[in-house]
Amino acid sequence: MSSSSAVAGQGGAAWLARRPLVKQQLMLLLGLVIIVGAFEILNVGFLSADNVSSILQDSTETILLAFGETLVIITGGIDISVGATLGLSGILGSLVLVNVNQGGAGLGAFPSLLLGVLAALAVGFVIGLANGLMVTKAKVTPFIATLAMLGVATGLTFVLTNGVDVSGMSPSIATWGNHVFLGILTLPILVTAILGILVGLFLHCARFGRWTFAIGSNARAARGAGIPVQRHLLKIYVLAGLLSAVSGVLVFMRLGTGSPLEGANDELNAIAAVVIGGASLFGGTGTILGSLLGALIIGVIVNGLIVAGIQPYWQTVIIGVIIAVAVMMQERGRARD
């Protein structure tokens, strides 16, 4: 069999493997509707335009992390450094923005923001590259490699800030990050939607996606078919880092400050969203739409608990239970197969 035929076969097998996910995503959509309906009954006004916008705005953080996590998990890996990457990217971006704006450089709010965004993206790129090199070159397991980067990024975040928020941004930054248009849309929501479409097209309609699924299904066969497995994995981890950095930028634009606490434990929500969305922790399956629905379910539940006055500590408990249930359901499905 030729290399091209083998790759096509891998891609076809991947698509066949994902067909059952269509039914699962319909179930997720139904579940999301039921959860929203239940909260609307319990809290009249839950579906108001303001609250829907708030849910979507708050969910962008998890959604972007989940998009990157989806790519990694499909390859059979995992990235538990995405939350810490968000935090460090946001902090460094905030520091650059504030220092440039207050340093007498004569730059306005937008040029300062642009430099802050570039600094944040550079952090995401470096962390993603470091993760990828450890996994591909040093042959460190993804969990251990990204655990190490989680520690490094979290430590640097507090070293740079001494645990204090980065303040002093131009008020217009928060205005841009929270301005609502067309009733419910904001800049973070729009950016997240655009990136979701782009990542989804690359994953499900391009060679990039076929290679990603092939590696997750059988890395050895993918390598034999001529797929540059190590180089592709490196790209995957870099993309996960960059998406985390974008999330960090959107967070400080929403808050108007850089918080060293942002991103803490967000990897749990991201992984939960991906698993709820139907991706297998063993690799080879997953969709961007499924991860989006999983993140929205988490966002609706968190918002509903807050509106209901339930202590925020229960949010982590509930998300942990959701992950356990989703994984057990996956295992039952694998056993039936």
Side-chain angles (χ1 to χ4, degrees), residues 27-314:
M27 295 296 292
L28 283 173
L29 184 58
L30 177 61
L32 178 61
V33 171
I34 292 173
I35 293 170
V36 169
F39 279 123
E40 172 65 18
I41 292 172
L42 293 173
N43 304 282
V44 177
F46 184 79
L47 282 175
S48 65
D50 287 344
N51 197 50
V52 170
S53 180
S54 177
I55 292 173
L56 293 175
Q57 174 92 322
D58 293 340
S59 296
T60 56
E61 188 173 336
T62 300
I63 292 171
L64 284 172
L65 296 184
F67 287 162
E69 197 71 60
T70 301
L71 301 176
V72 175
I73 286 178
I74 287 175
T75 65
I78 195 165
D79 186 350
I80 61 172
S81 70
V82 290
T85 303
L86 180 158
L88 182 57
S89 298
I91 285 299
L92 193 62
S94 301
L95 287 170
V96 169
L97 191 159
V98 170
N99 288 326
V100 168
N101 203 34
Q102 296 180 349
L107 297 180
F110 183 75
S112 299
L113 175 61
L114 182 59
L115 290 176
V117 170
L118 292 176
L121 292 177
V123 172
F125 177 85
V126 170
I127 292 179
L129 183 63
N131 283 332
L133 289 174
M134 282 192 287
V135 171
T136 59
K137 300 298 183 182
K139 305 300 181 184
V140 180
T141 60
F143 179 85
I144 299 300
T146 57
L147 176 63
M149 290 309 301
L150 181 152
V152 170
T154 301
L156 287 176
T157 297
F158 283 93
V159 166
L160 291 172
T161 62
N162 290 318
V164 179
D165 288 355
V166 178
S167 58
M169 293 185 193
S170 169
S172 57
I173 301 296
T175 301
W176 295 336
N178 293 284
H179 177 68
V180 179
F181 54 95
L182 298 180
I184 62 173
L185 296 180
T186 63
L187 179 63
I189 295 172
L190 185 60
V191 170
T192 300
I194 292 172
L195 289 176
I197 292 171
L198 291 175
V199 175
L201 288 174
F202 271 98
L203 181 62
H204 301 297
C205 303
R207 186 181 66 178
F208 176 89
R210 292 194 296 273
W211 284 8
T212 303
F213 284 106
I215 291 170
S217 299
N218 191 324
R220 181 177 297 178
R223 190 175 291 108
I227 296 175
V229 173
Q230 290 191 342
R231 188 170 63 192
H232 192 75
L233 285 174
L234 198 59
K235 293 178 182 178
I236 293 290
Y237 282 96
V238 168
L239 281 173
L242 288 173
L243 287 168
S244 300
V246 172
S247 185
V249 169
L250 296 180
V251 168
F252 76 62
M253 287 189 67
R254 287 165 43 206
L255 300 178
T257 60
S259 172
L261 298 179
E262 284 300 323
N265 299 319
D266 277 1
E267 62 278 352
L268 179 65
N269 289 356
I271 294 170
V274 176
V275 173
I276 293 169
S280 171
L281 292 175
F282 296 95
T285 60
T287 64
I288 292 299
L289 177 59
S291 297
L292 171 63
L293 291 173
L296 288 176
I297 287 174
I298 292 173
V300 168
I301 291 174
V302 169
N303 182 274
L305 293 176
I306 293 173
V307 172
I310 297 176
Q311 289 185 340
Y313 308 111
W314 282 103

